[in-house]
Amino acid sequence: MKISIYILLLLISAAVAIGWSWKRLLDFNSYKKPFWEGVALQFFFLLLASIWWLFTADFSKGIIGVFYYLLAFLIIMVIHGYILHFLFSKKKLKEEAE
């Protein structure tokens, strides 16, 4: 049960970060500011998830769980960057065509 909550938190974190950045991408001419806003939002969400993991597991498993959250944060951040770069380049091509 706990692992399903863990995976659900990771998926929600990724969806919220990418969704927020995608929405904010429409307001800016660069993808850097929306990217960092999404990363900050994702970091806050996973920080809360790490605190939850520390309190629900014993100490040694809690530290390993926080490490896994950090690793997932980095992986999601890279995927997030690629998605935003793709969306931004698509937006630029559409603007140049008009």
Side-chain angles (χ1 to χ4, degrees), residues 57-72:
D58 63 352
F59 185 74
S60 63
K61 288 184 181 179
I63 297 298
I64 297 295
V66 171
F67 174 73
Y68 287 147
Y69 271 120
L70 178 64
L71 188 63

Side-chain angles (χ1 to χ4, degrees), residues 40-53:
L41 189 63
Q42 177 189 357
F43 179 78
F44 177 71
F45 194 88
L46 288 180
L47 180 68
L48 293 176
S50 295
I51 292 170
W52 165 77
W53 189 269

Side-chain angles (χ1 to χ4, degrees), residues 68-82:
Y68 287 147
Y69 271 120
L70 178 64
L71 188 63
F73 169 75
L74 295 174
I75 292 170
I76 292 170
M77 189 171 71
V78 169
I79 293 169
H80 178 201
Y82 281 129

Side-chain angles (χ1 to χ4, degrees), residues 26-58:
L26 300 174
D27 300 335
F28 291 98
N29 289 331
S30 171
Y31 70 91
K32 291 178 183 176
K33 183 168 173 49
F35 172 73
W36 288 114
E37 289 176 357
V39 167
L41 189 63
Q42 177 189 357
F43 179 78
F44 177 71
F45 194 88
L46 288 180
L47 180 68
L48 293 176
S50 295
I51 292 170
W52 165 77
W53 189 269
L54 279 173
F55 284 124
T56 59
D58 63 352

